[in-house]
Amino acid sequence: MTESIRRIVLASRPSGAPTPSNFRLEEATMPDLPDGQVLLETIYLSLDPYMRGRMSDAKSYADPIPIGEVMVGATVSRIKQSRHRDWRQGDIVVAYSGWQTHAISDGSDLRRIDPAVAPISTGLGVLGMTGFTAYAGLRNIGRPKPGETVVVAAASGAVGSVVGQIARIQGARAVGIAGGADKCSFVRNELGFDAAIDHHDPDFARLLAEACPDGTDVYFENVGGAVWDAVRPLLNNFARIPLCGMISHYNDGAAGKSTVDRLPASMKVIQQRSITVRGFMNVEFIDQQPAFLEQAAGWIADGRLKYREDIVDGLENAPSAFIGLLEGKNFGKLIVKVSGEQYSRPMPAS
Ligand code: NDP
């Protein structure tokens, strides 16, 4: 029997929040493997906020996904078959296979991961793109000093959870902002932030101000919108803002929700308090990735860097999980388990 591929393609472009009808599950025939290439079997698929931008045809830093094409995304994959001299069957790699069960690669976009270091799913989160984003934004832009206050938006999530923990490792105070009591309890009690404030609380702005008695020296921006409104008055002179993302605006657009004009208030505070706002893409700092991976693996091993993964079972559930990500329904790094994990962490020697 010929094996087939299952894949999720972009069926139509969303107007505002994505809906299930924007996606389509398809089956296709397994392609033949050309010389010099490898056949990848997806074990885990990463779901990330940037995918919302790729579903739209608005001009951006990356090309839109064409209608009918496979949704893009990073994966942890197993090399099922190799006709490439540098890659062996059975290797576990981080790849960019997209929302599908199998893909072919020439090897240039693969990064080998060592299943002995941590569970392989971490190659998409704490030891992957999101963990590195946190490290790069804080190291190059936030640059917290011991005793300073670092406020982190979306603090229970993939990027934010790592930002606050690294800030604490560096001797700063970490104040997280998250949606709901469970996420705040996790941020405070499991991740060890100094405080965690619920942005759904009607008293959010006052509670955040109370948690920052010395103001805010670094604000790691992941969200924008009402969260930015509450942080803005707390910013100290010479505060630094790594502008990583603005997820609360990703579903805005022609038919999306109307937006408040925050420009004058934002520019005023930036100018009058000599604040540095620096947008960034993690790839700018990619030469720092090996140093990050080494350091982060050490922090995980000694218990200073904790992580939480929200693993959804089955490729067919990727669209609803992704829609939920943009509504705050995920709790930790959102990952889809696409096929059985063939390589789990080896048992420690007794
Ligand atoms: P998360 O794991 O943090 O998941 C997204 C979280 O955002 C949700 O769980 C929710 O948390 C919060 N959220 C969603 N909608 C809203 C809203 N309307 N208002 C307030 N909070 C909201 O995602 P990531 O860690 O992967 O991404 C975090 C940010 O980092 C995103 O903006 C993303 O685009 C950006 N990013 C940027 C990169 C770069 O290179 N610049 C690379 C990777 C990510 P809660 O329930 O707590 O509100």
Side-chain angles (χ1 to χ4, degrees):
M1 196 175 71
T2 326
E3 213 181 334
S4 61
I5 292 180
R6 289 191 312 134
R7 61 191 186 193
I8 293 179
V9 302
L10 181 65
S12 57
R13 300 200 188 281
S15 168
T19 65
S21 66
N22 297 134
F23 305 91
R24 188 172 61 243
L25 181 64
E26 289 183 345
E27 287 212 7
T29 315
M30 186 78 72
D32 292 331
L33 183 62
D35 202 26
Q37 313 248 331
V38 298
L39 174 64
L40 299 163
E41 180 179 27
T42 307
I43 302 172
Y44 293 110
L45 163 68
S46 180
L47 294 182
D48 297 278
Y50 75 85
M51 294 165 176
R52 174 63 186 83
R54 304 291 300 276
M55 294 174 76
S56 152
D57 58 6
K59 193 168 160 43
S60 178
Y61 63 91
D63 289 338
I65 303 166
I67 298 290
E69 287 297 319
V70 178
M71 288 288 298
V72 296
T75 59
V76 165
S77 301
R78 183 180 69 92
I79 297 186
K80 193 177 164 79
Q81 196 185 340
S82 178
R83 297 190 64 194
H84 191 300
R85 62 187 178 151
D86 296 338
W87 299 95
R88 289 185 322 256
Q89 184 181 337
D91 282 349
I92 301 293
V93 295
V94 175
Y96 204 67
S97 297
W99 297 25
Q100 56 186 343
T101 55
H102 299 81
I104 283 179
S105 165
D106 65 4
S108 59
D109 58 344
L110 305 182
R111 173 169 70 85
R112 195 176 270 109
I113 52 177
D114 179 357
V117 172
I120 59 175
S121 54
T122 58
L124 300 175
V126 67
L127 292 177
M129 184 274 280
T130 54
F132 177 61
T133 300
Y135 170 90
L138 207 56
R139 179 173 193 266
N140 297 287
I141 305 166
R143 284 184 252 151
K145 300 183 193 68
E148 286 192 331
T149 298
V150 177
V151 172
V152 187
S156 74
V159 175
S161 59
V162 178
V163 172
Q165 292 182 88
I166 297 180
R168 284 199 39 93
I169 290 169
Q170 295 175 345
R173 260 190 98 235
V175 175
I177 299 170
D182 287 351
K183 287 185 178 180
C184 286
S185 163
F186 168 72
V187 167
R188 174 85 186 78
N189 301 322
E190 305 282 327
L191 301 181
F193 284 44
D194 297 275
I197 310 298
D198 179 1
H199 67 84
H200 297 315
D201 192 303
D203 229 3
F204 167 52
R206 186 184 62 78
L207 293 170
L208 185 65
E210 273 178 22
C212 303
D214 299 324
T216 298
D217 303 294
V218 177
Y219 172 50
F220 200 101
E221 175 64 292
N222 286 323
V223 166
V227 170
W228 167 235
D229 290 340
V231 172
R232 212 163 47 232
L234 309 177
L235 293 166
N236 289 334
N237 289 342
F238 303 104
R240 288 85 64 200
I241 302 181
L243 175 46
C244 178
M246 299 216 296
I247 193 169
S248 74
H249 296 287
Y250 292 176
N251 285 331
D252 291 354
K257 56 192 166 192
S258 66
T259 53
V260 179
D261 180 7
R262 294 182 166 87
L263 189 64
S266 301
M267 296 298 253
K268 187 174 165 195
V269 83
I270 290 165
Q271 186 258 318
Q272 293 185 345
R273 296 189 203 160
S274 307
I275 289 166
T276 302
V277 181
R278 162 77 152 85
F280 75 102
M281 302 296 299
N282 59 65
V283 291
E284 290 178 59
F285 304 109
I286 203 68
D287 57 327
Q288 299 171 16
Q289 193 186 39
F292 158 72
L293 288 172
E294 195 181 326
Q295 205 156 30
W299 289 333
I300 290 173
D302 69 21
R304 284 190 288 171
L305 182 56
K306 301 193 172 72
Y307 60 93
R308 177 178 173 127
E309 295 172 334
D310 186 343
I311 300 190
V312 173
D313 212 11
L315 181 67
E316 64 284 4
N317 293 316
S320 58
F322 176 68
I323 292 167
L325 175 73
L326 299 169
E327 298 168 350
K329 290 193 176 144
N330 64 305
F331 191 167
K333 172 69 197 114
L334 186 59
I335 293 170
V336 179
K337 187 170 181 221
V338 176
S339 70
E341 183 175 331
Q342 321 257 343
Y343 288 77
S344 55
R345 190 179 190 169
M347 295 293 287
S350 54

